[in-house]
Amino acid sequence: MRRHLNELIEQIRLADALDIGIVTLLIYVGLVWLRHRSTQSLGVMIALLAALYVLAGWLEMYLTTMIFQYGIIAILFSIIVIFQQDIRHGIERLVSSRWLRQGTHDSSDSGIIDTIVESVAALARDQIGALIVFPGREPLTRHMRGGVLVDAEISEPLLLSIFHPQSPGHDGAVLIEDSRIRQLSLHLPLSSNLTKVQGSGTRHTAALGLSECCDALVVVVSEERGTITTAHGGELTEVDPAGLAQRLEQFLASQTVTNDLRGESGWDRWFMGFASLSLAVLLWILFAYQTATLQRTIIVPIEYRNLAADWVVAEPRSSYAEVTLVGSDKAFKILDVSAITVSLELEDVQLGIPKRLSTEQALTNVPSELSVNEIVPRWVDVIVRKK
């Protein structure tokens, strides 16, 4: 076991280590994305298809393997169509500039949270409907319509006046971003999941609809019942003012790079990192690392170099050599046969006097991963004459 491990370590190149590192990073990003989103169905579908393909190859199921080989484009297209919303979420999250937000949750936000909670509680007591959006990391522009740019400081009188029944924009949503009221009178997409919004009004349907499209947090006040509800991740949760304050504190604190990289806990981060590295190494051993030794014979040209201008090599002369190489299948896959040649130096050859030259010593551009087992002819007798 130890001998095999040493052989494995000796055969790992810098490119192999970089290959494993890139795959580890991709697996880690995928695990984090699937863990923090309700898109595990996409991961389950891909895992099932991969397991079915491996099983079909192992059991030599010809028809199933052929369907995978010739229908891979159709399969990928079907996955994209079925999970287009989830894939769009993932891409938006990866390319969003919100990944670049620095620092941790500012303690001054506590006063702003208190102001928002007090305003929402006052609206709930008076049974005045309200809809407030707190963006996450994913962009919201394509999900919202209309809106009036405000960019004002957050205050209880301003929030109460925006949602007053006599206000022109009281039916729309308010966007709060970076501790500022950015826009008001926004129209949000409506959810088609009627079972979750049964008995609720249009505001709850709009809040749920936006939470299904992105990772924003939406706060809803019902004008019929005077209740406070939060919508996040496609779920509606009824809370009291204290619960709302705690929910806002947790959500705003999660919108930093530090929390993105930390995950839910340090142990979760280390576990997912170890799992990603282990899976990447396993995939490399299964598909990239080759223990079997192959032997192949190739035809390479023989060239004669540094011959005087008025001299030529007398006929018959050897033009090609058969070279038998030994190595792994991976080494042969990256082999450039056209670059290998037998280059014989003739600068010391005397006119009319035969000279024996070694073709093995003149063999060039053979990768270090491959070794020369045999070369025919091993020697070339060269005689030069004047033109």
Side-chain angles (χ1 to χ4, degrees):
M1 179 67 181
R2 185 175 181 180
R3 181 174 62 84
H4 292 297
L5 182 60
N6 291 334
E7 291 178 356
L8 176 63
I9 295 176
E10 290 175 359
Q11 293 188 27
I12 294 180
R13 306 168 301 159
L14 178 61
D16 295 326
L18 182 60
D19 190 16
I20 294 174
I22 293 175
V23 175
T24 300
L25 179 60
L26 293 176
I27 294 175
Y28 182 82
V29 171
L31 289 177
V32 172
W33 179 58
L34 291 173
R35 180 184 179 91
H36 292 281
R37 295 198 56 84
S38 57
T39 56
Q40 287 83 1
S41 55
L42 175 60
V44 172
M45 175 65 70
I46 295 176
L48 288 176
L49 289 175
L52 181 60
Y53 178 71
V54 173
L55 181 63
W58 182 50
L59 298 178
E60 297 182 357
M61 300 164 60
Y62 176 77
L63 182 59
T64 304
T65 305
M66 185 181 66
I67 291 175
F68 271 97
Q69 291 176 346
Y70 291 98
I72 186 65
I73 296 179
I75 293 173
L76 292 177
F77 181 77
S78 301
I79 292 176
I80 292 174
V81 172
I82 296 173
F83 297 99
Q84 57 178 319
Q85 193 72 13
D86 298 331
I87 295 173
R88 185 186 295 116
H89 284 169
I91 295 175
E92 286 180 347
R93 187 164 190 170
L94 289 176
V95 304
S96 174
S97 59
R98 295 182 185 277
W99 282 98
L100 304 177
R101 292 173 66 172
Q102 298 291 335
T104 58
H105 181 46
D106 192 351
S107 59
S108 63
D109 288 344
S110 300
I112 296 174
I113 292 175
D114 292 340
T115 301
I116 295 173
V117 172
E118 292 173 2
S119 303
V120 171
L123 292 169
R125 284 196 305 268
D126 298 336
Q127 292 189 322
I128 298 176
L131 195 59
I132 304 175
V133 178
F134 298 88
R137 301 178 186 86
E138 299 173 5
L140 300 176
T141 306
R142 70 183 187 86
H143 302 300
M144 301 185 300
R145 298 291 182 270
V148 177
L149 184 62
V150 179
D151 194 21
E153 293 185 2
I154 298 175
S155 66
E156 184 174 349
L158 179 57
L159 288 173
L160 295 179
S161 64
I162 290 175
F163 292 112
H164 191 275
Q166 301 301 320
S167 173
H170 74 281
D171 283 332
V174 167
L175 175 64
I176 294 181
E177 183 178 22
D178 296 331
S179 303
R180 305 277 293 181
I181 299 178
R182 295 297 184 190
Q183 289 180 278
L184 56 84
S185 192
L186 289 165
H187 298 285
L188 309 183
L190 300 179
S191 173
S192 58
N193 194 339
L194 301 180
T195 57
K196 291 185 178 181
V197 295
Q198 189 174 9
S200 301
T202 306
R203 288 189 177 89
H204 291 77
T205 306
L208 181 62
L210 183 63
S211 70
E212 292 172 343
C213 297
C214 61
D215 62 344
L217 173 69
V218 187
V219 178
V220 189
V221 177
S222 172
E223 60 182 339
E224 292 85 5
R225 303 190 305 271
T227 58
I228 303 172
T229 305
T230 62
H232 183 65
E235 297 293 337
L236 292 172
T237 306
E238 190 170 317
V239 296
D240 56 12
L244 176 62
Q246 183 180 8
R247 186 72 185 88
L248 289 176
E249 182 75 25
Q250 293 174 349
F251 179 78
L252 295 178
S254 68
Q255 306 306 306
T256 61
V257 169
T258 304
N259 283 277
D260 288 340
L261 299 178
R262 183 185 296 119
E264 295 182 3
S265 68
W267 286 109
D268 290 339
R269 181 187 63 181
W270 284 107
F271 175 77
M272 286 190 293
F274 177 76
S276 302
L277 177 60
S278 302
L279 184 56
V281 172
L282 178 60
L283 291 174
W284 182 82
I285 293 176
L286 291 176
F287 299 102
Y289 175 66
Q290 300 290 337
T291 57
T293 300
L294 302 180
Q295 179 175 294
R296 295 179 182 175
T297 301
I298 60 175
I299 306 298
V300 300
I302 298 177
E303 64 179 16
Y304 301 90
R305 300 173 59 87
N306 297 324
L307 187 64
D310 57 342
W311 291 3
V312 294
V313 178
E315 300 293 342
R317 65 176 184 177
S318 300
S319 300
Y320 298 94
E322 294 183 1
V323 181
T324 302
L325 302 175
V326 178
S328 65
D329 182 59
K330 181 178 67 174
F332 278 107
K333 287 181 179 178
I334 62 175
L335 172 64
D336 184 7
V337 177
S338 62
I340 300 179
T341 184
V342 175
S343 183
L344 299 177
E345 293 290 339
L346 303 182
E347 57 183 2
D348 296 332
V349 176
Q350 297 181 11
L351 186 66
I353 301 177
K355 184 169 185 179
R356 173 163 289 190
L357 300 174
S358 172
T359 54
E360 185 174 2
Q361 294 179 359
L363 190 62
T364 61
N365 299 326
V366 177
S368 59
E369 295 85 357
L370 298 173
S371 59
V372 179
N373 184 53
E374 185 180 8
I375 182 169
V376 179
R378 183 173 293 274
W379 300 92
V380 174
D381 293 323
V382 178
I383 300 176
V384 297
R385 61 178 176 80
K386 287 187 176 182
K387 290 184 180 180

